[in-house]
Amino acid sequence: MRLFVNITLGGVAEGLIFSSVALGLVLIFRATNIINFAQGAMAMLTTFIAFSVLGKGVGYWPAFLVALACGLLLGGVVQLTLVRPVQNKPPLNAVIVTFGLLIFLEGIAGAIWGNTNRGFPAAFSQKGLVVGKTAVAFSHFDIFIVVAVLALSILVGVLFRFTTVGLRMRAAAFAPEAARLLGVRVGRLLTLGWALAAVAGALAGLLVAPTSVFSPGYMDLILVYAFTAAVLGGLDSPLGALVGGVITGLALAYVGGYLGGSLQPIGALVLLIVVLMIRPEGIFSQPTARRV
Amino acid sequence: MLEVENLSVAYGAVQALKGVSLRAETGSITAVLGANGAGKTTLLRAISGLVSTQTGTVRFGSRTLTGMPVERIVQSGVGHVPEGGLVITELTVAENLELGAAWRYGRRERARHLNEVYDLFPALKERSSQHASSLSGGERQMLAIGRAVVSHPSLLLLDEPSLGLAPIITANLMAVLLELTRQEDLTVLLVEQNARSALSIANWAVVINLGTVVVSDRAETVAADSDLRHHYLGF
C-alpha cells in the first residue's frame, strides 16, 4: 500500500510536467495544425540560459523569470522566422522545420555548454515530506510542480475563456478566414500562440531539470511522453493536455514502479497505441471541430 | 461610394474576373447577379482582400483598398458576409458577435451593440449562449449578417445570404437589409443567385457573366428586361 501511494504521488508530479509540455504542443497544434518537435529542445535552451544566469549568482527566482521570458521571446521568434514560411505548405515541411530546429538547438547547446551531464538546482527541497511518522515520496518541490502547472493551466484557461485576446485566439485557431473577416489579425495571434506555448515549455524545462540528468538531450524523452499525453487528451484540447499528462504520468509510474523503469518508454508506446485504437480523437477533443 | 475599376483575378490558369468595373452609391443596394461561376463571389473576395488581384483598383470613399490586408480592409469599415456565412461553430452566438464588434468597440460598448443586433434578429437573443453549431441555416445566416453589421460598417458585402433558406426567411432577411441600408447610410453589394428577391430590394443591378460585366443599370430596368432575365437570370 505504501509503495502504491508513493508511486501514485510520484506519477502525479511527473505527469503534470508532461502536462505542461503537452499544453505547449496543444496550443501550437490547435492554432497552426503543426506538431512542434522542437518543443522540448526550446525548453532545454531556456533552461540552459537559466543555468548560465544562475552561474552569475543572481539566485533562483530571477533565473526562473529569465527562462520564462526567453521562452516567450524564443517562441515568437521561431514562429516568425521559421514556421511562418511553411505555414500553408504541405505538413511535412513543418515537420522537417521543427525537427531540424530540435537538432540545431541541441547542437548549439552542446557547443556552448558541453554535452556533459550536470545538475540543476530545485526551487524547493526534494526530500520527501513526512506525514505522521512516515516519509512519503512527495517533496516540497513536487508541491511546487503541482502549483506551478495548475496555475499555468488556469491562466491559459482564463485567457482563452474570459479575455478578448483569448476569444480572438480561439477564433483564429478554429476559423482563420472568418476571423480575418472580423478584423482579427490572425498572423499576430499565431505568433502569440507560439510564444505562450514556449513559456509553458520553459516552465516544464525548469521543473524537469532538477529531477533528471541535465544535458542538451534531457527533454527528448519528456517530449515523447508529452506527445503521448497530448494525443491522449485530444491534441486540440488544453484541458485534455492537463488530464492526459496526469494519466500518462500515472501509467508510467506504475509501469516503472511494478515492472521496472527500463520498460517506461515501451509503456508510453503501448498507452499511445491503445488510445489510438479505442478513441483516436482523444478524450477531450471535439471530433467535429477537427480539421483534416 | 464604392468604385471598382478594371478588376482582374485569376486562379491559376482560370480567369475568374476580366476587367470588371462597377460603382455602388452610398446608401443604396446594388445587386450583383449572374449564373454559377460568373465571378460574383470572386468579386466580393477581391474587394475584401481575400484573393489577390492581377489588375485594377478598389476604392471606397477616399481610400484605396487594393493591396491592403483583409483585417485592415475590414477595419476601414467593410463588412463581408461570406458564402455560407462561415459562423464559427465552436464559439457561442454571443462570442461570434463579440468578435465582430471587438476591433471597433471596447468591452462596455459592445453589450449595447450586441443588443442592437438582437433587436434586428430576436431569434439570436434566445440562443446567445448556445454554440453556433446548434443554429439552423436561417439563424446562422442571421448571425453571419449580425456579426458583420455589429461594428456598423459603411460597406456591406453579402454573398448569397438566401442560399438554402426558406422563402419566408429570405424575405425577412431582405426586409432587415433594406431597413439597415435606410437607417445607416450603408452601401450594400448583394450577390445573389436568387435574382428575383435581390431585385425586389435593390436600387441598382450589375449582371456578370464569365467574369465580365454584361449590364449595369437600375434594378427596375434590369427586372423589366425579359431578354436579359431569360439569358442570365433564369426567371
Side-chain angles (χ1 to χ4, degrees), chain A residues 160-164 167-168 170-172 174-175 177-187 286 288-290, chain B residues 45 48 50 69-72 74-75 80 82 86 88 90-91 95-96 98-100 102-103 107 110 131 147-148:
Chain A
F160 275 118
R161 207 37 71 188
F162 300 112
T163 69
T164 306
L167 177 62
R168 289 194 175 116
R170 280 187 291 152
F174 290 134
E177 185 169 298
R180 295 187 77 194
L181 284 179
L182 299 172
V184 176
R185 305 178 80 160
V186 172
Q286 303 157 299
T288 52
R290 183 68 70 79
Chain B
R45 291 174 68 84
S48 63
L50 285 170
V70 179
E71 309 87 285
R72 291 258 323 276
V74 170
Q75 297 186 1
H80 184 163
L86 288 190
I88 303 176
E90 293 88 347
L91 303 182
E95 283 173 339
N96 268 280
E98 288 260 345
L99 201 59
W103 66 262
R107 235 165 210 287
R110 271 183 239 164
H131 278 253
R147 199 175 64 171

Side-chain angles (χ1 to χ4, degrees), chain A residues 231-237 240 279-290:
Chain A
V231 172
L232 191 66
L235 262 180
D236 56 6
S237 159
R279 201 175 152 80
E281 72 274 23
I283 302 172
F284 288 89
S285 185
Q286 303 157 299
T288 52
R290 183 68 70 79

Side-chain angles (χ1 to χ4, degrees), chain A residues 118-159:
Chain A
R118 300 163 183 270
F120 190 89
F124 298 94
S125 158
Q126 286 178 280
K127 269 224 296 265
L129 295 169
V130 178
V131 180
K133 281 186 177 162
T134 50
V136 292
F138 203 74
S139 62
H140 283 103
F141 183 66
D142 290 321
I143 294 175
F144 173 61
I145 290 176
V146 172
V147 171
V149 175
L150 287 182
L152 177 75
S153 306
I154 290 168
L155 275 177
V156 168
V158 167
L159 176 78

